[in-house]
Amino acid sequence: MRKLLPALLATLALLFVSACGSDDSGGGSGSSEGVGEDKDVELTQENFAEEISKAQLDAGTAHMTMTMDMMGTPITMEGDTVLADDPADVAMSLSMDMEGMGAPEGTSMDMRMVDQVIYMNMGQMTEDKFVKIDLTDESNPLGAEFSDILEQSNPAAQIEAMNDSITSFEEAGDGGEIDGVSTTKYNLTLDAAKVMEAQGQDTVGAPETFEYVMYVGEDNLPRQMDIEIPGMGTSTIEWSKWGEDVSIDAPSDDEITDQDPFGGMAGS
C-alpha cells in the first residue's frame, strides 16, 4: 500500500491538471473571455487534442467531478483547477473518499497543489493536518512519487502525447445538452501503452487500448468524458464552471504536519 497509494494518487491528480493550460498564474483566477463562444472549427483526429487544449487555455479555470468504478470499487472525487502554460503555475484542489483505496473507514482526503507543492490532509491518518510534499525537492522520496505531475501538466507535452496515442476517431453526432450546453459526441480509441508512457507509468500488463467517449461543446470545451479501461473499470469525468473565478491557497503553517501518512499502512 505504501508504494501503491502515492502512485495512484499521483495518477488521479494528473487527470485534474493535464492536457490543459492557461496564461493565468496558479492560485489565482482564470478569465471567462471566449468561454461559450462558437469556435467554428471542425474537430478532426489531427487537430482534436490541440483545439480542445486551446479552448481550455482560453477558459483558464474549471470545476471537475470524477466518478470511477475500479474493479467494483467506487471512487469519487471533486475539485477545481487553475490552469497554466507553465506547470509551475498550475494550481489544483480536490477532495475524495479514501475508503475505496483501502484507507480506514471514514477517511477522506483534501489535496491541494500550489507553487509546485502538494498538500494532503487525510483526516486521522495525518491528525487532520496537511502533509507537505515539495515536488522540486529531489531528496524527498515521497516527492519523487508525485514529480511526474509537474512534468506531465505541460499542455504541449499532453497535446503531443494525445495526438500520438489516438488510433481511431469518430464524430458520433448529437451528444445532448450537458451543463446547459449543447454537445457533440466523439468516440476515440487510444493506444494504452503510449498514454501510460506519457504519464510515466509502467506499461507491463497494460491493456491494448483505452476507449474514450467525449462530449464537447461548440466552444470546444469538454463537458464530459467516459473512459473504459479493459480489465480494470470505468471512469466518468464531468467539467463545469469553465472560466469562473477560482482561488486555491496553500494551508497555513499551523495546518501542516511532518507525519508520513503512508508509514503506518498495512503492507507498507
Side-chain angles (χ1 to χ4, degrees):
M1 177 62 74
R2 180 181 176 87
K3 294 182 179 179
L4 174 61
L5 187 52
L8 182 53
L9 289 176
T11 301
L12 296 178
L14 176 61
L15 291 171
F16 270 67
V17 300
S18 64
C20 314
S22 84
D23 295 323
D24 301 289
S25 59
S29 61
S31 168
S32 60
E33 181 179 355
V35 176
E37 294 181 0
D38 187 349
K39 299 299 184 183
D40 196 27
V41 175
E42 179 182 358
L43 297 179
T44 66
Q45 179 170 335
E46 289 71 27
N47 71 9
F48 186 81
E50 182 175 2
E51 293 297 333
I52 295 293
S53 293
K54 282 181 181 178
Q56 294 176 89
L57 282 163
D58 291 342
T61 64
H63 183 79
M64 185 183 293
T65 301
M66 177 185 292
T67 304
M68 307 175 70
D69 184 343
M70 304 306 290
M71 302 180 71
T73 299
I75 300 174
T76 301
M77 62 181 173
E78 184 172 8
D80 296 304
T81 57
V82 176
L83 313 167
D85 280 319
D86 185 346
D89 291 333
V90 171
M92 168 197 69
S93 68
L94 67 87
S95 60
M96 66 180 295
D97 184 342
M98 296 289 291
E99 288 184 40
M101 298 173 67
E105 183 178 355
T107 301
S108 60
M109 181 186 69
D110 177 0
M111 183 174 179
R112 306 177 198 176
M113 184 168 72
V114 181
D115 295 331
Q116 304 183 72
V117 177
I118 285 180
Y119 302 89
M120 290 195 303
N121 183 329
M122 301 173 70
Q124 63 181 358
M125 296 172 62
T126 57
E127 301 178 346
D128 204 28
K129 293 192 174 185
F130 288 86
V131 175
K132 181 178 179 179
I133 305 172
D134 187 343
L135 300 179
T136 66
D137 183 1
E138 297 180 357
S139 66
N140 183 347
L142 191 56
E145 297 277 3
F146 291 84
S147 61
D148 281 341
I149 295 177
L150 279 182
E151 180 180 351
Q152 296 305 324
S153 62
N154 183 326
Q158 286 296 325
I159 292 170
E160 181 178 358
M162 188 171 185
N163 279 335
D164 291 343
S165 302
I166 297 176
T167 60
S168 174
F169 178 91
E170 175 194 18
E171 180 180 328
D174 183 8
E177 187 173 290
I178 300 176
D179 191 34
V181 175
S182 298
T183 68
T184 300
K185 180 179 178 180
Y186 296 89
N187 297 326
L188 293 83
T189 301
L190 275 65
D191 184 307
K194 288 184 178 180
V195 172
M196 295 175 72
E197 286 172 357
Q199 294 182 355
Q201 300 181 55
D202 189 348
T203 60
V204 175
E208 184 175 344
T209 61
F210 293 148
E211 302 294 332
Y212 287 27
V213 179
M214 292 191 69
Y215 299 83
V216 181
E218 293 181 345
D219 52 11
N220 286 353
L221 289 170
R223 304 292 170 170
Q224 181 175 315
M225 178 167 67
D226 301 325
I227 307 170
E228 181 177 351
I229 306 175
M232 294 186 65
T234 60
S235 174
T236 295
I237 303 173
E238 297 174 294
W239 289 270
S240 61
K241 302 180 181 179
W242 283 107
E244 294 189 9
D245 287 348
V246 170
S247 180
I248 301 172
D249 300 312
S252 60
D253 290 343
D254 62 358
E255 295 179 290
I256 297 174
T257 178
D258 293 329
Q259 179 177 337
D260 179 353
F262 310 112
M265 286 187 175
S268 64

